[in-house]
């Protein structure tokens, strides 16, 4: 099992949901760069459980302990290692999952892959809890990107059938950037928040869960990064985004809508503006031929409904080798989308810095 990403700046994630702790090692960070830990903790808090009714009631402070790579507030150039202690676990809630896998979860595939030796408690290494150290890594790396004029923001594009206003595909407004990057329930149009919350609450009251989409934008990246075919920007970002548990789809720019357009509609006309080549529209999501064109990178990720629901579900007993029913216990998110927003921002930052 290897949970690593990147070649120029590489992250390696370790730990399990109910183990002693989880963490990340980041290799390749430049020495001498100052990191604002208060900003890092804001991002950690946005993802942390127990802070919102749409999330699991499990309480974790998610305070990273730096073991190496930073002296005071300055990167030393050595591998940066951070550990987050697990302090609020109830492993007994998962005893019935040792033999009976949850539908929609990795329980069965991990059972087969790792010969029934995988840690099932809280989902083990497959848990969304593992995204906490990813957010730490992304929050550090994002500060390096900001010094290069690159901004990253994301919002809840939809939950169930309720949709938020999309990003302006041509520019990320500074005020909106600040708003979203400090929000636990990140939406552009504040009037849709309660409607989304109502959808989540309806799912929760029916012992169910609900999914949605997250839209992400990267503004300030110059043209010329990436490459054709297997080195394309889409592939680099997609690999990082699909490392986030529950993500099942991604589209760039207009994505699947392009299938219903003609070339005269989908092509983004070029123009010179202040001596720089820009496009009038951004249907391509800032990427042409796998290479950035200087416009904002824009993509949308699909997050499936949480698989751990309290309704009785059909499953199998892997020990008795017979069909059975399963009732999931424990504390689970009725909707993972709000807490996944800072995670999508984090993996995007990690992908972008490797492109640079």
């Amino acid at each position: 099992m290897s949970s690593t990403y990147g070649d120029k700046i590489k992250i390696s994630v370790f730990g399990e949901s109910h183990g002693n702790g989880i963490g990340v090692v980041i290799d390749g960070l430049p020495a001498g760069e100052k990191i604002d830990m208060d900003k890092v903790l804001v991002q950690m808090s946005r993802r942390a459980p127990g802070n919102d009714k749409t999330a699991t009631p499990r309480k974790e402070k998610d305070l990273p302990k730096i073991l190496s790579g930073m002296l005071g507030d300055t990167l030393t150039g050595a591998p940066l290692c951070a550990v987050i202690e697990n302090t609020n676990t109830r492993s007994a809630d998962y005893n019935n999952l040792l033999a009976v896998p949850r539908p929609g979860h990795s329980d069965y595939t991990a059972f087969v892959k790792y010969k029934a030796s995988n840690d099932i408690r809280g989902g083990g290494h497959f848990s969304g809890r593992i995204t906490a150290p990813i957010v730490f890594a992304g929050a550090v790396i994002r500060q390096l990107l900001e010094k290069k004029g690159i901004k990253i923001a994301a919002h809840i594009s939809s939950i169930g059938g309720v949709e938020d206003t999309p990003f302006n595909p041509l520019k990320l407004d500074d005020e909106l950037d600040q708003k979203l990057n400090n929000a636990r329930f990140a939406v552009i149009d504040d009037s849709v928040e309660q409607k989304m919350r109502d959808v989540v609450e309806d799912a929760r009251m029916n012992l169910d869960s609900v999914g949605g989409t997250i839209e992400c934008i990267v503004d300030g990246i110059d043209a010329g990064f990436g490459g054709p075919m297997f080195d394309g920007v889409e592939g680099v970002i997609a690999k990082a985004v699909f490392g986030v548990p529950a993500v099942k789809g991604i589209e760039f720019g207009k994505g699947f809508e392009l299938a219903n357009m003609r070339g005269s509609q989908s092509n983004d006309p070029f123009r010179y503006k202040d001596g720089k080549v820009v496009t009038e529209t951004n249907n391509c999501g800032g990427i042409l031929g796998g290479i950035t064109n200087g416009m904002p990178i824009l993509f949308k990720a699909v997050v499936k409904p949480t698989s751990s629901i309290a309704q009785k579900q059909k499953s199998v007993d892997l020990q008795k080798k017979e069909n059975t029913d399963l009732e999931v216990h424990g504390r689970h998110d009725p909707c993972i989308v709000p807490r996944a927003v800072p995670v999508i921002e984090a993996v995007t930052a990690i992908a972008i810095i490797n492109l640079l």
Side-chain angles (χ1 to χ4, degrees):
M1 184 184 293
S2 176
S3 297
T4 63
Y5 175 89
D7 50 6
K8 300 175 181 66
I9 292 183
K10 181 171 70 175
I11 70 164
S12 180
V13 181
F14 60 87
E16 289 101 7
S17 179
H18 285 204
N20 291 329
I22 52 179
V24 63
V25 177
I26 314 171
D27 291 310
L29 292 172
E33 296 285 350
K34 293 187 180 300
I35 300 299
D36 186 336
M37 283 302 297
D38 287 337
K39 290 184 177 180
V40 172
L41 294 178
V42 167
Q43 300 309 313
M44 301 295 293
S45 175
R46 292 175 65 208
R47 192 225 69 93
N51 292 322
D52 194 280
K53 197 172 183 179
T54 60
T56 169
R58 176 180 177 178
K59 283 279 189 181
E60 293 284 4
K61 293 182 179 179
D62 282 0
L63 296 176
K65 181 179 180 181
I66 309 298
L67 300 186
S68 66
M70 188 178 291
L71 189 60
D73 63 353
T74 305
L75 297 176
T76 66
L80 178 60
C81 178
V83 174
I84 301 166
E85 185 181 3
N86 291 327
T87 61
N88 187 0
T89 60
R90 291 193 337 210
S91 299
D93 289 338
Y94 296 85
N95 287 344
N96 65 328
L97 303 181
L98 293 172
V100 183
R102 285 167 286 183
H105 203 280
S106 63
D107 295 341
Y108 172 66
T109 52
F111 174 89
V112 175
K113 174 75 174 179
Y114 300 108
K115 301 177 175 60
S117 297
N118 57 298
D119 187 347
I120 203 73
R121 302 170 304 166
H125 194 67
F126 294 86
S127 170
R129 173 113 187 93
I130 306 301
T131 60
I134 293 176
V135 170
F136 169 82
V140 169
I141 289 171
R142 182 189 295 192
Q143 293 187 36
L144 304 181
L145 294 175
E146 287 173 350
K147 293 175 183 179
K148 297 178 179 292
I150 297 173
K151 300 179 295 184
I152 298 172
H155 71 111
I156 304 168
S157 180
S158 68
I159 289 180
V162 181
E163 297 186 354
D164 189 19
T165 301
F167 278 121
N168 174 357
L170 303 179
K171 183 175 178 57
L172 173 60
D173 180 74
D174 288 340
E175 185 176 340
L176 179 60
D177 178 45
Q178 289 298 313
K179 172 189 172 181
L180 295 177
N181 279 298
N182 286 280
R184 284 204 175 105
F185 201 100
V187 290
I188 295 175
D189 180 1
D190 294 332
S191 70
V192 304
E193 177 176 344
Q194 189 56 52
K195 297 176 184 177
M196 290 180 174
R197 289 184 177 277
D198 290 343
V199 171
V200 176
E201 181 64 9
D202 181 68
R204 187 181 72 85
M205 293 301 293
N206 284 281
L207 309 181
D208 215 334
S209 61
V210 64
T213 58
I214 296 171
E215 187 183 33
C216 185
I217 189 170
V218 183
D219 198 3
I221 187 168
D222 292 333
F225 292 103
M229 296 186 70
F230 307 117
D231 292 324
V233 174
E234 294 101 330
V236 172
I237 292 175
K239 182 178 181 180
V241 171
F242 278 120
V244 180
V247 170
K248 298 299 287 185
I250 189 170
E251 65 176 6
F252 291 85
K254 288 296 184 181
F256 287 97
E257 289 184 39
L258 295 171
N260 298 318
M261 294 183 179
R262 296 194 174 189
S264 57
Q265 298 170 309
S266 67
N267 291 342
D268 299 309
F270 288 112
R271 285 289 184 269
Y272 270 108
K273 182 179 181 181
D274 300 325
K276 180 182 177 181
V277 175
V278 298
T279 58
E280 291 184 346
T281 54
N282 193 11
N283 296 325
C284 69
I287 307 164
L288 291 170
I291 302 170
T292 57
N293 69 356
M295 300 301 290
I297 296 173
L298 198 68
F299 70 88
K300 189 179 293 183
V302 177
V303 181
K304 74 182 183 72
T306 316
S307 56
S308 296
I309 60 175
Q311 288 186 23
K312 184 179 289 188
Q313 300 178 83
K314 294 180 179 179
S315 187
V316 294
D317 190 313
L318 297 171
Q319 294 177 353
K320 297 179 181 178
K321 293 184 172 25
E322 63 184 25
N323 297 329
T324 188
D325 290 331
L326 172 67
E327 290 188 38
V328 177
H329 306 295
R331 301 161 293 177
H332 306 284
D333 299 75
C335 181
I336 203 70
V337 178
R339 292 176 59 211
V341 171
V343 184
I344 294 298
E345 293 169 348
V347 293
T348 302
I350 297 165
I352 294 299
I353 204 164
N354 274 281
L355 282 168
L356 302 185

